[in-house]
Amino acid sequence: MSPASTGASMQVGAVLSVPSHGSRVSRVSRGTAPLAAPVSPASPPSPPAPAAEDSRMAPGAPGYGRMRLALFLAGVATFALLYSTQALLPLISGEFGVAASEASWTVAAATGGLALFVLPMSALSERFGRRTVMTASLAVAVGVGLLVPFAPSIGALVVLRAVQGAALAGLPASATAYLAEEVRPKALITAIGLFVAGNSVGGMSGRVITGWVAQEWGWRVAVGVVGVIAVACAVAFRVLLPAPRHFTPGSLRPRVLARTVRDHLADPLLRRLYAIGALFMTVFGGVYTVIGYRLTEAPFSLPQGIVGSIFLVYLVGTVSASTAGRLVGRLGRRGALYLAGGTTAAGLLISLADSVPLVLLGLVLITAGFFAGHAVASSAVSRTAVHGRAQAAALYQSAYYIGSSVGSTVGAMAFHADGWSGTVGIGVLAVLGVVTITVAGSRAARTAARRAPVPAH
């Protein structure tokens, strides 16, 4: 859902103005009125002053390519670390002797930590800068990631994962705020889509690598390898990302932060976008937390390496996220959300079949629908907020990762109670919620249009 889809369109950014040139200044005599300079009747009028050029980045501009690659790598590191244990849950359950619902906390703790700390970290980014906070977040997260393989118990593992998620909280909201400030509005959806695509590549590569490494050397070595890869991504990110040129430091006063958050939560469009992000992530978190258990059990009984390779379907998410801008251009944001929700629901239903090809097709559709919907909703948040952009993005990310934690936990509980059909049922309910909210946005837009005053002629 977007500003355009709900009748509340806003565009991020403002064009600077410059004084006109060639104007004459009249002389003022003491005690007399100003005298206008004579103008010859044949003199042509002065041309209007040219509008100042937008200095923000756009495709083809210096630094744009470096910025895209840097944030792509940041997205890779974020998702690789955040979900590094998800494909390994059956092995973690086996080593510590715990059920799926308990092992799933190694995922839920990370996403929950991110959800809780994303707002405070966004406030720090308003004061100290987006690039500074993103760099610090990645540094702490990769440091904790190198400690995760040495966790002596399931409890210690959950605590380390919670700290890692809290550290990563400084990245998602700061990244979208950085893009909203440094990239021209027409290129914003595409730029955010590429960041989300980096998330999908990170999620895919982390799961595929851990699957094959764990099959040979165990889950501890597997998460250690992910940590080393994240270190390389973090270093490259810091070297490549251009320094911000349009950042204005904000206040760290709690009262100012509370007022900004209250303003965002009072906006019905933003509330709908936050709910949509949470519901899409509920589906995604539940499906990918449980799918490893389903495929390693009868009737599939697949080895860990093959199960990890299933996550190659994340490449579909890379494509769908990076093309979200074109999708919105053709269907509008409401149409794009309907298509994303319908695609996700179709994938859930197809995945019920006891056939590996059909399960794979279902995962492809779920992944494509999820990443498209997420890219559309998150970009709409960035374009809607006209102040406190980091807080607006942080609230979206908080709702998004709360959805992930809920999906991981509830999806695992539903799987324990009713098998894969229980997890699918939770996902279908979440998709219905997305559709319902989008319909409500459409009605609100029509109502606003009817009530809008007719301009006088």
Side-chain angles (χ1 to χ4, degrees), residues 441-454:
S442 301
R443 291 177 177 173
R446 288 194 295 269
T447 300
R450 286 195 300 267
R451 292 177 178 175
V454 179

Side-chain angles (χ1 to χ4, degrees), residues 64-384:
Y64 184 79
R66 289 174 49 216
M67 177 274 297
R68 281 167 45 110
L69 179 57
L71 289 177
F72 178 83
L73 292 174
V76 170
T78 299
F79 253 47
L81 290 171
L82 195 62
Y83 294 99
S84 59
T85 63
Q86 194 172 58
L88 306 173
L89 293 180
L91 296 179
I92 293 173
S93 290
E95 177 171 332
F96 294 118
V98 296
S101 57
E102 295 175 78
S104 69
W105 276 102
T106 64
V107 178
T111 54
L114 193 153
L116 289 175
F117 280 84
V118 68
L119 188 58
M121 294 294 280
S122 73
L124 292 178
S125 83
E126 290 281 5
R127 180 65 183 86
F128 298 108
R130 320 300 186 194
R131 189 170 69 161
T132 299
V133 170
M134 287 189 284
T135 301
S137 292
L138 278 177
V140 175
V142 298
V144 175
L146 297 177
L147 297 177
V148 167
F150 304 100
S153 65
I154 187 68
L157 179 58
V158 169
V159 169
L160 284 172
R161 295 283 292 147
V163 173
Q164 193 173 46
L168 286 170
L171 200 96
S174 299
T176 52
Y178 175 94
L179 289 170
E181 292 164 350
E182 305 297 329
V183 177
R184 295 182 188 180
K186 289 185 178 180
L188 183 59
I189 293 180
T190 300
I192 290 180
L194 189 66
F195 174 65
V196 174
N199 292 346
S200 70
V201 170
M204 175 205 69
S205 59
R207 290 165 172 91
V208 173
I209 291 170
T210 56
W212 286 105
V213 173
Q215 183 172 302
E216 297 296 329
W217 295 288
W219 70 268
R220 294 180 183 274
V221 174
V223 294
V225 169
V226 170
V228 171
I229 292 172
V231 169
C233 289
V235 171
F237 161 80
R238 185 61 181 82
V239 171
L240 291 170
L241 188 69
R245 299 175 59 191
H246 300 276
F247 169 72
T248 302
S251 172
L252 275 177
R253 289 178 295 173
R255 186 173 299 177
V256 174
L257 176 61
R259 183 168 62 248
T260 301
V261 170
R262 187 168 59 248
D263 289 345
H264 292 327
L265 292 178
D267 187 327
L269 169 59
L270 288 175
R271 289 202 304 268
R272 289 193 289 269
L273 292 170
Y274 297 153
I276 286 172
L279 290 169
F280 266 124
M281 196 54 168
T282 297
V283 180
F284 198 70
V287 165
Y288 278 100
T289 295
V290 172
I291 191 65
Y293 288 98
R294 188 188 184 205
L295 294 178
T296 55
E297 296 177 356
F300 304 106
S301 301
L302 297 178
Q304 187 65 44
I306 298 297
V307 171
S309 297
I310 293 294
F311 291 94
L312 283 168
V313 298
Y314 263 51
L315 289 172
V316 177
T318 304
V319 175
S320 66
S322 59
T323 58
R326 290 198 294 271
L327 185 65
V328 170
R330 292 183 179 182
L331 302 177
R333 288 183 174 82
R334 285 198 302 270
L337 287 172
Y338 285 132
L339 180 60
T343 302
T344 303
L348 287 167
L349 297 176
I350 291 172
S351 71
L352 289 168
D354 288 333
S355 163
V356 171
L358 289 178
V359 170
L360 182 59
L361 175 60
L363 290 176
V364 166
L365 295 176
I366 292 167
T367 304
F370 161 73
F371 275 105
H374 170 42
V376 171
S378 61
S379 62
V381 169
S382 296
R383 289 177 64 88
T384 300

